[in-house]
Amino acid sequence: MNIFELLASHKRKVLALWVILALYTAYTVGDYYITYSIKEHHPPIPYEFSGNGITVIPGHHMMLHSEVLKRIEMITELTVGICKHLGIDCWLESGTLLAAWRSGRIFDWEKDADIGLRYEDLNVIRTAWESGDLEKMEGWNENATLLFFDNKDLPLRVIDKVTHVYVDCFTFLTKKNDKGEDCLFQDYTVLWRSCYACTPREKDSRKAYWIPIKEHYPLKPCSLNTFEAMCPANTHEHLVYLFGDLSVPFTMRASTRVMMHLWLTILFVIGLPLLHRLFKASS
């Protein structure tokens, strides 16, 4: 009895083994994640940390997708902890707020997280960081660092030095709108170009962010993964302002599950005909 006859005599076992192998391969390969490529217009990642200096490493950085999600959770919880430690308000913003509202968990396709805070509180964080106070706080993670930018809309990132994922910290000024309402405000910026109801500017894709303070405060507790954060008082209206109709399912981006389905399809399309030919040839 040759090898083909042996396999043909155990068709069910061979097919079962093939399914297990396909699932395992799909999970393993699908769990890999590649970060952004370096682009000049985007604050670059990954970073190389040496002392207080930061050097850009060109190219890509590969990591397990499951590790990405764990590190996003860690660095987001740390950012919330920094705000609590310093006694300043910060809240989940944009896609991270949507994730907390929809399921209470970070979306499995995320690459970063978003936090909002008042612009005047930025100097409180900067002073605490430069003085070394943050590194002495309870819950500080030695793999974290803060990077400040000369940008009033997005002046701060809290970065995980191990995987290079980060939290974007958006800062907001206080300004009256056309109705005389005090609002959290960001002037025309590309950061909100995908915002549903932000005020557009005709000459380019920049938009201005206006959220009435009376709809935003007082902040209320909300859950994200395993920790508690703060969210706007009227979270639903806040999200409608940013994303529009929330009854429409959020667009699914490439994730581990999508990759798994893709690999399963490829393996079965290629593998099953080969098995069929093998059994047919040996019978």
Side-chain angles (χ1 to χ4, degrees), residues 9 22 34 45 121 131 140 143 181 191 207 238 267 269 280:
S9 65
I34 301 177
I45 61 171
D121 290 328
S131 68
W140 175 258
N143 292 317
E181 300 172 310
L191 297 176
K207 292 183 180 181
H238 190 106
L267 287 170
V269 167
K280 186 176 181 180

Side-chain angles (χ1 to χ4, degrees), residues 17 37 47 50 89 98 103 126 157 164 175 192 200 258 269 280:
L17 182 62
S37 58
Y47 308 101
S50 55
D89 287 333
L98 181 62
S103 63
R126 189 194 299 270
R157 274 184 175 162
H164 312 122
K175 188 174 181 178
W192 301 109
V258 174
V269 167
K280 186 176 181 180

